[in-house]
Each structure stands twice: as structure tokens, then as C-alpha cells.
């Protein structure tokens, strides 16, 4: 068996990475973006579109980080429950969070059409359900009503075997796409607008207006770190916990399950803890089959080393208990998800007034790439942004210099 983290994902197997040269001289740019995942590429795209001159550097190849290991549910059904967020942040702030997620799905939908990105984008419904914790789902629905979020309580779960679920919230008009096809399309659009991209160029020492990479110096007015980790910022690393999430993909005949997003939640018994859960969706596999993608079994990375095969086995068991599926997984992979203490990412200025970060973006990082890119683009362009305050890194750590 290959080491899990090196197992190719469906996305990696169906898209060739773009080849860009290494940095081989000192350069100057208006904005330096560090990290070529969905956060970095979306930020580079938006900033260049807003008239800035952007250079993006990636330590390996574009899309080789956690964006390649995602399951790409595009949804405002968050990893952390709304009723928990309301307790911490109040209704008004959580309304802002929900609005930012709804707007990010709309934005991706528009950009995919505008840039003609062929990435299997689909608008579909999502179902948050529970077999054992109906009360929790009902509580979540009440919180969503208080927030004015569009959703409906239903008494069955489309696609599920028999009538297992006790409670289910239907989220209409959610979405999904092929993560790396989207990333490649957006990268090409950014390149066409004039963004400079370097592969195999890792940022080392990052100062107020410079970063070192491959022994050369990049001088920039603004530096945006989208490395999916708090580079150069130990304070932010301390405020984050890293989890590993496991995924399997099982081939099923087309039409057997409806294209949908599914999440099963359980009550952790402690409102402050992230409740364990499983998630699923479909993706086109070939003319006759879909791939049923199932994820979950998340565990904190520090401490014990879990048996990965056991995790994949449990995912298969969950999938066959809940859905009428048979067969062995075609794919098995895992990836890292970072959570901040309050469940929201760190997006915005940190350390210096001209430095920005997107980090701690939980299992909703595809949306946060768009949300973060828009906050940072507005801030650099001097435009007010209503989402900025709620995600500011300053809420937890410190004020920028
Ligand atoms: C199993 C799994 C399932 C998920 N499911 C969902 C989902 O359904 N919906 C959702 O919204 N989110 C989901 N997520 C989360 C989401 O995929 C991630 O949050 C998101 O892809 C992170 O994108 P990013 O661009 O911030 O980071 P990455 O894609 O990791 O990109 C960061 C890049 O920075 C580069 N880098 C690092 N250090 C340096 C350096 N020093 N110099 C230059 N480059 C550097 C890395 O090589 C990497 O390519 C999931 C994640 C996992 C693991």
C-alpha cells in the first residue's frame, strides 16, 4: 500500500499541472502572493483584475497542496454549526459569515461562466442529517432561521437507504466542481491578465517588503501569504489545530444516486468541540459511472498516528450502511485541515500593514479562498469590505505594526 498522503486523488489523475519556470533572478512586483493553491490563485486573479501587478510563487507546482486533496463541496453548510458560532460571535456577525459564503458560491458560478472554465460545476442540493442526534439538527435549523438563511427541514434524505434519518436540513442551490479543473481555468485566466507565476520557488525569509526565494530577492509593496499555514507567524500557528481528514472514492453506475451533497453529523456531547461527521458527493467518472466520494473520520494530527487503512475501512462501512452501494474504493486519500480556536479562518492584515494572510480555513476553504481574496483585494485597493472585521487575524492575536 502506498503512503496515503501520496496517493493520487481523482482531481490529480485527471488534470495535468501547469509548468512554470523557477525564479532565477531578483525581481520587483507590486503584490507578491506566496502559495499556488486555490487561495493564492483566486487572490492573484482578483488583484490583477483590480489593476495591480501580481507575482505568485509556489514552492512545488500549482495546485499541489490541499486544494488537490479536497472534496470541493461549495456550500454554506459549514464545518462548525451556526448555533455554536452565534454563541461566540452573536447573530449579526454570524449573518455576515453566512452572507460571505453565499456570495462566494455566486461569485465562483459567475467567474466560471465569465472565464468559460470547464470544471464540471453543478448546482445541487445539500443535506445535513443525523441518525442519532436529531435534536442537534433541529437546533441548527432554528439558528439558521434566526439568521435568515435559506433552508428547509425535510423528513427524508434523498439517496439514503430506507428511512434512516430522523432529521434533515435541505440546503438548496449549493454547488460542486472538479477542484483542479477550476484551479487550472482560473490560473489560465490570471496568466492571460498578466500575473507572473513561478513554480519550485519557496519563500524563505519574509520581511516587510521583501521575500527570499531560490537565493534571490523579491521586492514587493504588498505580500499576501496563502501558504495554507501561518508562515513566519508563530502566533497564528499556536491558535490553530490541524486535523487529517480521510477520503475514499467508489465507482457506482450513473443514475444510482442523485447528484447531491451529504453530511451526517453526530453530537460530540460537548458544544465546544467539533462534532464528528461524514460527508459525501458524486463526481463524473466515465460515460457509465460516477465516483461516490466519501470523507470524514477526521482526527487531530498531533499525538497518535492513526491506522490509515482502518480509517478507509470505516469510511467504506459508513458508506455501505447509509447508501445502497457495493464495491471496493478506486481512490483513497487524505489531507490536512486547519481550524482556528473559534472556527473562523484568519483572513486579512497581520504583522505589517502591507502583509496579508489566508489561514486556518477549515473544511470550508474553497469558499474561504474566494472570501479571502475579495477581502484582501478590497483592502489593498482601499475599498471598504463588510466581511473584513469578522475574519480579521487581529481578533485573536495582535494588531499589525
Ligand atoms: C480531505 C479534505 C476535504 C476537504 N473538503 C472541502 C470541501 O468539501 N469544501 C471546502 O470548501 N473545503 C474543503 N477542504 C478544505 C480546502 O480544500 C482547503 O482549505 C483549500 O483547498 C486550501 O487552499 P489553499 O490555497 O489555502 O491551500 P493549498 O491548496 O494547500 O495551497 C497552499 C500552497 O502554498 C504552497 N506553499 C507552502 N509554503 C510555501 C512557501 N514557503 N513558498 C511558496 N509556496 C508555499 C504549498 O505548496 C501549496 O501549494 C477539504 C480539505 C481536505 C484535506
Amino acid at each position: 500500500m502506498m503512503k496515503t498522503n501520496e496517493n493520487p486523488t481523482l482531481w490529480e489523475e485527471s488534470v495535468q499541472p501547469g509548468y512554470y519556470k523557477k525564479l532565477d533572478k531578483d525581481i520587483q512586483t507590486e503584490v507578491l502572493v506566496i502559495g499556488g493553491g486555490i487561495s493564492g490563485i483566486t487572490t492573484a486573479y482578483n488583484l490583477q483584475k483590480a489593476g495591480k501587478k501580481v507575482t505568485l510563487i509556489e514552492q512545488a507546482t500549482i495546485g499541489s497542496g490541499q486544494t488537490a486533496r479536497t472534496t470541493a463541496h461549495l456550500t454554506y453548510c459549514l464545518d462548525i454549526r451556526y448555533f455554536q458560532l452565534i454563541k461566540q460571535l452573536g447573530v449579526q456577525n454570524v449573518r455576515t459569515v453566512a452572507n460571505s459564503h453565499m456570495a462566494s458560491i455566486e461569485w465562483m458560478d459567475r467567474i466560471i461562466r465569465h472565464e468559460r472554465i470547464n470544471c464540471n460545476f453543478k448546482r445541487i442540493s445539500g443535506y445535513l442529517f443525523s441518525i442519532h442526534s436529531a435534536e442537534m439538527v433541529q437546533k441548527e435549523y432554528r439558528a439558521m432561521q434566526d439568521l435568515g438563511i435559506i433552508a428547509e427541514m425535510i423528513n427524508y434524505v434523498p439517496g439514503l437507504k430506507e428511512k434512516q434519518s430522523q432529521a434533515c436540513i435541505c440546503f438548496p442551490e449549493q454547488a460542486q466542481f472538479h477542484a483542479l479543473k477550476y484551479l487550472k481555468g482560473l490560473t489560465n485566466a490570471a496568466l492571460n491578465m498578466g500575473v507572473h507565476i513561478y513554480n519550485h520557488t519557496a519563500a524563505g525569509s519574509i520581511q516587510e517588503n521583501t521575500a527570499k526565494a531560490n537565493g534571490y530577492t523579491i521586492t514587493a509593496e504588498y505580500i499576501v501569504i496563502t501558504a495554507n499555514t501561518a508562515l513566519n507567524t508563530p502566533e497564528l500557528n499556536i491558535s490553530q489545530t490541524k486535523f487529517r481528514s480521510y477520503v475514499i472514492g467508489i465507482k457506482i453506475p450513473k443514475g444510482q444516486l442523485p447528484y447531491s451533497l451529504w453530511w451526517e453529523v453526530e453530537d460530540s456531547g460537548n458544544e465546544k468541540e467539533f462534532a464528528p461527521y461524514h460527508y459525501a458527493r458524486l463526481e463524473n467518472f466515465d460515460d457509465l459511472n460516477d465516483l461516490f466520494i466519501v470523507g470524514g473520520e477526521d482526527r487531530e494530527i498531533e499525538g497518535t498516528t492513526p491506522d490509515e487503512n482502518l480509517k478507509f475501512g470505516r469510511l467504506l462501512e459508513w458508506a455501505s450502511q447509509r447508501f445502497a452501494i457495493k464495491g471496493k474504493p478506486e481512490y483513497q486519500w487524505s489531507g490536512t485541515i486547519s481550524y482556528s480556536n473559534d472556527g473562523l479562518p484568519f483572513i486579512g492584515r497581520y504583522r505589517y500593514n502591507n502583509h496579508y494572510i489566508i489561514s486556518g480555513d477549515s473544511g470550508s476553504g474553497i469558499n474561504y479562498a474566494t472570501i479571502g481574496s475579495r477581502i484582501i483585494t478590497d483592502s489593498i485597493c482601499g475599498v471598504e469590505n463588510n466581511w473584513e472585521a469578522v475574519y480579521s487575524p487581529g481578533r485573536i492575536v495582535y494588531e499589525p505594526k
Side-chain angles (χ1 to χ4, degrees):
M1 178 90 192
M2 282 183 285
K3 273 177 70 189
T4 308
N5 206 29
E6 290 163 5
N7 285 357
T9 67
L10 169 72
W11 325 122
E12 287 169 308
E13 284 211 334
S14 46
V15 170
Q16 284 294 314
Y19 293 96
Y20 312 103
K21 66 175 192 174
K22 279 167 85 158
L23 184 73
D24 57 2
K25 59 177 186 232
D26 291 345
I27 57 165
Q28 269 194 321
T29 183
E30 204 171 355
V31 186
L32 170 65
V33 176
I34 299 172
I38 194 165
S39 303
I41 293 294
T42 315
T43 306
Y45 173 90
N46 272 326
L47 278 164
Q48 189 82 21
K49 199 163 197 178
K52 300 289 166 194
K53 290 193 172 54
V54 182
T55 299
L56 181 147
I57 61 170
E58 161 55 48
Q59 68 178 1
T61 54
I62 299 298
S64 58
Q66 298 312 309
T67 304
R69 318 206 71 76
T70 192
T71 53
H73 296 56
L74 314 182
T75 178
Y76 51 80
C77 175
L78 308 184
D79 268 12
I80 182 163
R81 304 277 72 84
Y82 282 112
F83 66 80
Q84 289 171 312
L85 273 180
I86 289 174
K87 274 196 182 159
Q88 293 174 50
L89 305 170
V91 168
Q92 206 48 48
N93 283 328
V94 182
R95 208 166 267 152
T96 304
V97 170
N99 286 342
S100 69
H101 281 274
M102 292 182 207
S104 79
I105 302 170
E106 291 298 326
W107 186 87
M108 286 185 271
D109 188 344
R110 263 201 323 278
I111 288 301
I112 286 165
R113 278 182 277 124
H114 177 69
E115 299 292 354
R116 299 197 163 99
I117 301 175
N118 185 358
C119 61
N120 312 355
F121 179 83
K122 272 189 203 313
R123 285 288 195 163
I124 48 177
S125 295
Y127 304 101
L128 177 78
F129 67 94
S130 188
I131 306 288
H132 307 293
S133 315
E135 216 177 282
M136 186 179 174
V137 175
Q138 279 146 4
K139 205 159 143 190
E140 181 69 347
Y141 183 64
R142 284 196 295 277
M144 290 172 67
Q145 283 184 310
D146 291 344
L147 294 165
I149 297 175
I150 301 165
E152 197 191 340
M153 199 77 182
I154 55 177
N155 59 8
Y156 67 101
V157 186
L160 215 64
K161 260 196 215 166
E162 302 136 23
K163 192 178 178 306
Q164 299 186 56
S165 171
Q166 296 183 13
C168 176
I169 304 172
C170 169
F171 293 71
E173 291 288 297
Q174 310 299 287
Q176 65 172 48
F177 58 28
H178 184 303
L180 290 188
K181 284 187 180 170
Y182 174 75
L183 191 71
K184 192 156 191 177
L186 203 59
T187 305
N188 288 340
L191 286 166
N192 288 340
M193 286 192 299
V195 171
H196 293 275
I197 295 182
Y198 296 93
N199 271 348
H200 302 294
T201 303
S205 159
I206 304 168
Q207 304 299 324
E208 190 170 357
N209 287 106
T210 57
K212 290 274 186 201
N214 297 350
Y216 300 98
T217 302
I218 306 166
T219 309
E221 263 176 65
Y222 301 95
I223 297 181
V224 184
I225 301 181
T226 62
N228 196 17
T229 183
L231 279 187
N232 223 20
T233 52
E235 307 84 348
L236 292 181
N237 268 333
I238 290 163
S239 318
Q240 295 186 51
T241 313
K242 289 194 189 319
F243 282 76
R244 181 158 292 281
S245 196
Y246 298 82
V247 179
I248 58 172
I250 309 146
K251 208 163 78 172
I252 60 167
K254 272 198 187 302
Q256 183 170 326
L257 288 175
Y259 267 69
S260 316
L261 308 177
W262 293 275
W263 309 272
E264 182 184 350
V265 278
E266 284 176 39
D267 202 338
S268 67
N270 176 350
E271 285 213 343
K272 288 198 170 147
E273 274 177 21
F274 293 106
Y277 78 120
H278 291 96
Y279 47 94
R281 59 163 277 199
L282 295 172
E283 176 65 43
N284 180 55
F285 186 74
D286 57 28
D287 288 348
L288 299 177
N289 300 291
D290 286 322
L291 196 72
F292 186 46
I293 300 174
V294 177
E297 294 293 325
D298 300 15
R299 285 297 170 269
E300 202 173 326
I301 285 177
E302 265 193 31
T304 55
T305 314
D307 177 344
E308 293 168 335
N309 287 329
L310 188 75
K311 296 282 184 189
F312 296 133
R314 282 201 190 139
L315 287 176
L316 187 58
E317 198 181 316
W318 177 83
S320 43
Q321 276 170 0
R322 299 287 179 259
F323 299 88
I325 54 128
K326 286 197 285 261
K328 286 202 176 123
E330 301 278 327
Y331 289 90
Q332 300 186 147
W333 73 79
S334 70
T336 306
I337 299 183
S338 310
Y339 290 92
S340 70
N341 293 350
D342 63 2
L344 294 186
F346 300 118
I347 296 173
R349 282 205 179 98
Y350 83 99
R351 197 165 176 232
Y352 296 107
N353 257 324
N354 62 333
H355 280 204
Y356 293 85
I357 190 157
I358 302 177
S359 183
D361 49 9
S362 69
S364 305
I366 300 291
N367 283 357
Y368 281 130
T370 292
I371 295 168
S373 76
R374 292 183 58 188
I375 291 174
I376 292 169
T377 301
D378 282 349
S379 179
I380 289 178
C381 296
V383 176
E384 205 179 313
N385 185 303
N386 294 335
W387 308 335
E388 190 176 345
V390 77
Y391 295 119
S392 167
R395 74 185 187 275
I396 289 187
V397 273
Y398 57 98
E399 293 300 317
K401 287 180 195 167

